[in-house]
């Protein structure tokens, strides 16, 4: 598989070179213009970036899920060298080929390193009739109207996302799904149906099919979607509209049968009062309908400053009782790891803490959240600045995320970012293993 991915990367680079060197492609900003008469009905567009980013983690010396840093869960620093390579090839109006590739090289302290290549997208769009389109291949469909979270983005439920990125970038820089999609566009409504099959070694998720209806009703965009999957069918609703010229409102709802959350419990008794922990799915969850809902608004001032406020409800999160049980088990494992009972090895409790850590996502583990962001793409001319805040309304823990881009030298961008976590030792963001994450990156756009 590694050889196939590397071969695909070299092929993509070769196509770039061929398009540029032999077919007279010229670029103007992000638009590729064809200057050869042969390309009157052909289009080749390419874009991308190369990014070098260093992240430094200010680790907590001793906290509930990693006493004295003995579990070794996270590095102190990480260096990421990555690229985003995009290529669009079109022929007349009926054929379009899209390829997006993302090689990633990671180096961490203690000589840990890895090299991966992600083919995020590789699909063909065919125009069958005047208003009918067929898509074949791997596509990253970005569903939903929310910024901080998307309850109806069903196809991305199990996709990895980089939370050091800005909210918009997370959805773009992720792997898509292998699918077949048919879309019919009419004046009042758009209908689409897709099938994303389970494919050994390529797509491990169960076979999924998605039906979606989209319509513009007055000044309001409305979409309905239904995902059919063997165990967890889902229903999604999206609404967005504009009030006046500056206020945008949006709402998004996802209804799911069953849950993907896991809980912690005592399983095997080692000696009286001492247990090995395990994770489990609550069988009652399979009988329930879980709601995830988001509501928010944007407001843009005359100087281009944009303010976004969102509230998100996550019924799939831990209740107060479930969270208390999780904390009690983690506290017991922490205490016994630091002072093991007589004749019992500390490894038992170390493994219990590892089980507890395996459940931590550091995003949306509880039920109620508030998100706030202020941004301006042209602050002080050469700066693109923003500051975001994510508040867990259940335990009052929060994350503050300022970031600044400096772009004075054409296509070169320097980014400085920070994630600062706050909360008591038994809150969601208080359980993050580091207090602060610093990021310094350099990006070259082409």
């Amino acid at each position: 598989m590694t050889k196939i991915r590397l071969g695909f990367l070299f092929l993509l680079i070769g196509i770039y070179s061929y398009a540029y060197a032999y077919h007279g492609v010229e670029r103007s900003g992000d638009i590729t213009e064809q200057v050869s008469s042969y390309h009157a009905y052909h289009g080749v567009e390419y874009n991308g970036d190369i990014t070098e980013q260093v992240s430094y983690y200010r680790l907590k010396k001793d906290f509930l899920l990693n006493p004295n840093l003995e579990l070794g869960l996270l590095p102190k620093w990480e260096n990421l060298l990555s690229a985003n390579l995009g290529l669009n090839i079109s022929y007349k109006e009926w054929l379009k080929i899209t390829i997006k590739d993302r090689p990633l090289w990671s180096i961490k302290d203690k000589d840990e390193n890895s090299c991966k290549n992600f083919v995020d997208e590789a699909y063909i769009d065919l125009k069958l009739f005047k208003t009918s389109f067929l898509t074949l291949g791997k596509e990253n469909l970005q569903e939903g109207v929310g910024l901080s979270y998307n309850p109806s983005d069903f196809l991305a439920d199990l996709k990895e996302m980089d939370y050091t990125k800005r909210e918009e970038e997370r959805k773009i820089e992720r792997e898509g799904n292998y699918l077949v999609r048919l879309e019919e566009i009419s004046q009042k409504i758009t209908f689409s149906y897709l099938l994303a099959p389970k494919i050994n070694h390529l797509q491990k998720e169960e076979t999924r099919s998605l039906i979606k209806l989209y319509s513009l009703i007055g000044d309001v965009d409305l979409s309905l979607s239904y995902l059919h999957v063997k165990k967890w069918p889902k229903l999604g609703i999206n609404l967005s509209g504009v009030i006046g010229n500056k206020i945008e409102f949006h709402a998004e709802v996802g209804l799911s049968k069953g849950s993907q959350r896991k809980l912690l419990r005592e399983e095997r008794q080692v000696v009286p009062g001492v247990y090995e922990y395990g994770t489990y799915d609550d069988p009652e969850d399979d009988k329930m309908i879980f709601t995830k809902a988001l509501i928010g608004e944007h407001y843009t001032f005359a100087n281009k400053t944009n303010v976004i406020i969102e509230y998100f409800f996550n019924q799939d999160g831990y209740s107060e009782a479930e969270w208390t049980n999780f904390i009690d088990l983690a506290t017991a494992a922490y205490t016994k790891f630091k002072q093991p009972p007589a004749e019992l090895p500390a490894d038992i409790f170390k493994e219990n803490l590892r089980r507890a850590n395996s459940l931590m996502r550091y995003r949306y583990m509880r039920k109620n959240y508030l998100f706030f962001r202020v941004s301006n793409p042209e602050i002080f001319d050469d700066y693109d600045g923003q500051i975001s805040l994510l508040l867990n309304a259940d335990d009052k823990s929060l994350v503050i995320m300022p970031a600044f881009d400096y772009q004075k030298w054409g296509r070169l961008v320097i980014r400085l970012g920070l994630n600062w976590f706050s909360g008591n030792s038994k809150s969601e963001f208080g359980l993050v293993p580091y207090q602060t994450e610093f990021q310094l990156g350099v990006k070259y756009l082409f």
Side-chain angles (χ1 to χ4, degrees), residues 191-204:
F191 167 84
S192 68
Y193 171 81
L194 70 81
L195 179 68
K198 181 177 181 180
I199 306 173
N200 291 337
H201 308 299
L202 287 178
Q203 190 152 273
K204 297 181 180 180

Side-chain angles (χ1 to χ4, degrees), residues 133-135 141 179-184 190-196 207-213 226 228:
F133 300 86
L134 177 67
T135 301
L141 287 175
L179 54 84
V180 179
R181 179 162 61 99
L182 180 64
E183 190 172 37
E184 176 65 30
T190 297
F191 167 84
S192 68
Y193 171 81
L194 70 81
L195 179 68
T207 297
R208 295 155 293 165
S209 58
L210 179 70
I211 299 173
K212 182 178 178 181
L213 295 174
Y226 172 73
H228 177 75

Side-chain angles (χ1 to χ4, degrees), residues 9 119 160 164 194 211 257 261 301 330 334 360 371 386 436:
L9 175 59
V119 181
E160 293 185 8
T164 67
L194 70 81
I211 299 173
K257 183 179 180 182
R261 66 179 182 163
F301 294 87
Y334 171 87
M360 294 299 297
F371 175 81
Q386 70 168 52
T436 313

Side-chain angles (χ1 to χ4, degrees), residues 65-309:
L65 295 182
N66 193 5
N68 301 325
L69 296 178
E70 293 190 42
L71 268 65
L73 297 173
L74 279 178
K76 294 181 180 179
W77 60 265
E78 182 177 18
N79 185 83
L80 291 175
L81 177 61
S82 63
N84 286 290
L85 309 173
L87 178 66
N88 295 322
I89 303 173
S90 59
Y91 177 75
K92 295 186 178 180
E93 295 182 352
W94 62 270
L95 174 63
K96 181 181 178 182
I97 300 173
T98 299
I99 300 173
K100 290 185 179 180
D101 194 71
R102 182 165 47 93
L104 177 65
W105 184 22
S106 170
I107 303 174
K108 303 178 183 180
D109 62 343
K110 302 178 182 179
D111 297 324
E112 295 182 21
N113 67 85
S114 64
C115 187
K116 301 178 181 179
N117 185 61
F118 302 95
V119 181
D120 290 339
E121 294 190 317
Y123 64 90
I124 298 174
D125 265 334
L126 296 171
K127 185 176 181 180
L128 301 180
F129 303 103
K130 187 176 181 180
T131 59
S132 300
F133 300 86
L134 177 67
T135 301
L136 299 168
K138 188 176 187 181
E139 183 180 13
N140 175 22
L141 287 175
Q142 300 165 37
E143 302 288 352
V145 293
L147 180 68
S148 60
Y149 194 74
N150 296 113
S152 66
D153 198 6
F154 300 138
L155 293 177
D157 276 348
L158 301 178
K159 302 299 180 184
E160 293 185 8
M161 286 195 286
D162 184 353
Y163 286 101
T164 67
K165 304 287 186 182
R166 294 188 176 187
E167 288 79 13
E168 299 92 337
E169 295 171 345
R170 295 172 195 166
K171 294 173 70 173
I172 297 172
E173 298 179 21
R174 70 185 186 196
E175 281 196 275
N177 293 273
Y178 293 94
L179 54 84
V180 179
R181 179 162 61 99
L182 180 64
E183 190 172 37
E184 176 65 30
I185 301 174
S186 65
Q187 187 175 359
K188 295 183 178 181
I189 193 167
T190 297
F191 167 84
S192 68
Y193 171 81
L194 70 81
L195 179 68
K198 181 177 181 180
I199 306 173
N200 291 337
H201 308 299
L202 287 178
Q203 190 152 273
K204 297 181 180 180
E205 296 98 327
E206 292 293 331
T207 297
R208 295 155 293 165
S209 58
L210 179 70
I211 299 173
K212 182 178 178 181
L213 295 174
Y214 165 82
S215 182
L216 178 62
I217 303 175
D219 295 327
V220 177
D221 289 304
L222 169 66
S223 70
L224 303 174
S225 58
Y226 172 73
L227 180 79
H228 177 75
V229 65
K230 184 177 180 180
K231 192 174 181 180
W232 294 303
K234 304 174 188 291
L235 177 67
I237 305 171
N238 291 305
L239 287 169
S240 63
V242 178
I243 301 175
N245 297 321
K246 296 181 179 180
I247 299 177
E248 182 271 352
F249 70 91
H250 55 274
E252 184 173 348
V253 178
L255 304 175
S256 305
K257 183 179 180 182
S259 170
Q260 296 178 0
R261 66 179 182 163
K262 290 185 178 296
L263 305 172
L264 191 68
R265 68 180 176 186
E266 297 174 336
E267 286 193 343
R268 190 178 74 87
Q269 183 172 256
V270 180
V271 298
V274 176
Y275 293 84
E276 289 182 349
Y277 293 173
T279 59
Y280 74 103
D281 301 307
D282 188 340
E284 293 299 317
D285 286 352
D286 291 341
K287 305 173 185 178
M288 295 178 58
I289 303 295
F290 288 84
T291 301
K292 296 181 181 180
L294 178 143
I295 185 169
E297 69 173 18
H298 295 225
Y299 183 83
T300 303
F301 294 87
N303 66 352
K304 298 185 180 179
T305 297
N306 179 252
V307 178
I308 300 174
I309 300 174

Side-chain angles (χ1 to χ4, degrees), residues 337-353:
F337 175 79
K338 299 193 77 171
Q339 294 182 340
E343 300 181 358
L344 285 177
D347 286 349
I348 294 175
F349 312 108
K350 187 175 184 178
E351 184 59 30
N352 285 347
L353 287 170

